[in-house]
């Protein structure tokens, strides 16, 4: 591994680290907007009922009696989101550089847009709405990701809209689907689908949070060049022309 490769790897690691830190630093954007976040939560809840979307409370209630499944959902929410995204980025960086650049740029752009929405439209998650019949399954059964919203300085608990859990899972699935051959590529859809069910059943997101992030991904997709249109550093350094070998068979 030469010096250029090491420097590039360090630079990419720093860029991804900034992406993750920006995601966590969103907590600062909602200081002093708790009342607004709770009011928005009520509005979203009633809006979903007008759309006749399935009740998040009904889905959660149907699984609360199955403690093992609920603990599994809590563990998925707590331990899969960041590691799965990081592992996918590392694998793409090593094996599929073009797709890695698309994936990193897409995640960064999606996260930037989402942070703006979090600041403009703070939204409390369903687990903070006891009147809606939803509980915080993490606190109830463990493991719990969040502390008290009043004292939690490490995460933005009022950033339900849009769901970056679902958004990042969709981007990971799209990247893996683009680099997997045959029918097996469709198996990666299971990741965002399972993520959606987990974030809803644990009381961390509304259905419309996922709908919103899908719309945002469409917009981001129009802004970020597709993998085939991205030049990796090695390609930029490639010679403009290649010396052609005479074809002796064409001589008469």
């Amino acid at each position: 591994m030469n010096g250029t490769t090491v420097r590039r790897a360090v630079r990419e690691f720093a860029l991804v680290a900034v992406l993750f830190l920006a995601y966590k630093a969103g907590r600062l954007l909602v200081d002093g907007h708790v009342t607004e976040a709770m009011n928005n939560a009520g509005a979203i809840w009633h809006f979903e009922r007008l759309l006749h979307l399935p009740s998040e409370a009904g889905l959660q209630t149907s699984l609360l009696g199955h403690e093992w499944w609920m603990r599994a959902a809590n563990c998925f929410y707590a331990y899969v989101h960041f590691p799965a995204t990081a592992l996918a980025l590392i694998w793409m960086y090593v094996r599929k550089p073009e797709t890695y650049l698309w994936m990193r740029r897409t995640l960064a752009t999606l996260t930037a847009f989402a942070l703006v929405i979090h600041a403009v439209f703070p939204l409390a998650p369903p687990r903070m709405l006891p009147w809606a019949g939803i509980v915080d399954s993490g606190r109830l059964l463990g493991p719990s990701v969040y502390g008290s919203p009043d004292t939690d300085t490490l995460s933005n608990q009022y950033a339900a809209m849009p769901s970056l859990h679902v958004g990042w899972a969709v981007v990971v699935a799209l990247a893996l689907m683009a680099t997997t051959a045959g029918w097996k590529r469709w198996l990666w859809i299971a990741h965002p689908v399972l993520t959606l069910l987990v974030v809803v059943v644990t009381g961390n997101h509304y259905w419309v949070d996922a709908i919103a992030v899908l719309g945002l991904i469409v917009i981001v997709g129009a802004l970020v060049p597709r993998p085939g249109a991205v030049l990796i550093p090695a390609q930029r350094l490639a010679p403009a022309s290649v010396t052609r070998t005479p074809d002796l068979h064409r001589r008469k």
Side-chain angles (χ1 to χ4, degrees):
M1 183 179 292
N2 57 39
T4 301
T5 303
V6 172
R7 286 193 297 272
R8 180 168 174 257
V10 171
R11 184 192 66 185
E12 293 298 331
F13 177 81
L15 289 172
V16 173
V18 169
L19 171 65
F20 280 79
L21 289 175
Y23 178 52
K24 302 297 288 185
R27 174 67 178 87
L28 302 176
L29 299 176
V30 296
D31 284 342
H33 296 278
V34 175
T35 300
E36 183 182 355
M38 297 301 294
N39 292 337
N40 288 338
I44 288 295
W45 180 265
H46 294 300
F47 177 67
E48 284 193 333
R49 306 295 74 82
L50 290 175
L51 295 179
H52 300 289
L53 293 176
S55 171
E56 293 88 348
L59 177 62
Q60 186 186 68
T61 300
S62 67
L63 288 178
L64 279 177
H66 305 278
E67 185 173 327
W68 188 90
W69 287 107
M70 286 302 303
R71 288 184 184 273
N74 292 337
C75 288
F76 187 98
Y77 184 83
Y79 305 130
V80 173
H81 175 51
F82 281 112
T85 306
L87 287 174
L89 280 167
I90 292 171
W91 191 86
M92 291 294 169
Y93 177 80
V94 174
R95 301 296 299 272
K96 304 290 182 179
E98 291 184 8
T99 305
Y100 163 78
L101 287 177
W102 171 86
M103 184 180 177
R104 188 249 288 164
R105 291 170 180 173
T106 299
L107 287 173
T109 307
L110 178 65
T111 301
F113 283 167
L115 289 176
V116 173
I117 297 174
H118 294 166
V120 175
F121 189 77
L123 179 64
R127 59 185 167 79
M128 294 185 184
L129 307 179
W131 51 263
I134 299 178
V135 300
D136 186 338
S137 65
R139 284 193 170 188
L140 180 65
L141 299 171
S144 180
V145 176
Y146 306 109
S148 171
D150 298 328
T151 59
D152 185 2
T153 59
L154 297 178
S155 57
N156 181 4
Q157 296 195 43
Y158 302 101
M161 170 82 75
S163 170
L164 283 177
H165 269 75
V166 175
W168 285 17
V170 170
V171 174
V172 168
L174 290 174
L176 292 171
M177 289 173 67
T179 55
T180 303
W183 63 269
K184 293 181 180 179
R185 66 165 61 96
W186 301 106
L187 297 177
W188 295 116
I189 296 177
H191 179 47
V193 170
L194 185 57
T195 299
L196 172 60
L197 292 176
V198 164
V199 299
V200 171
V201 79
T202 56
N204 285 289
H205 283 285
Y206 308 88
W207 297 114
V208 294
D209 298 337
I211 296 173
V213 84
L214 291 177
L216 198 56
I217 287 174
V218 171
I219 295 174
V220 172
L223 300 175
V224 178
R226 289 176 295 178
V230 176
L231 288 178
I232 60 176
Q235 292 174 317
R236 297 192 186 102
L237 298 176
S241 61
V242 179
T243 303
R244 300 181 60 183
T245 302
D247 188 352
L248 299 180
H249 296 285
R250 297 182 60 183
R251 295 181 178 178
K252 295 182 179 181

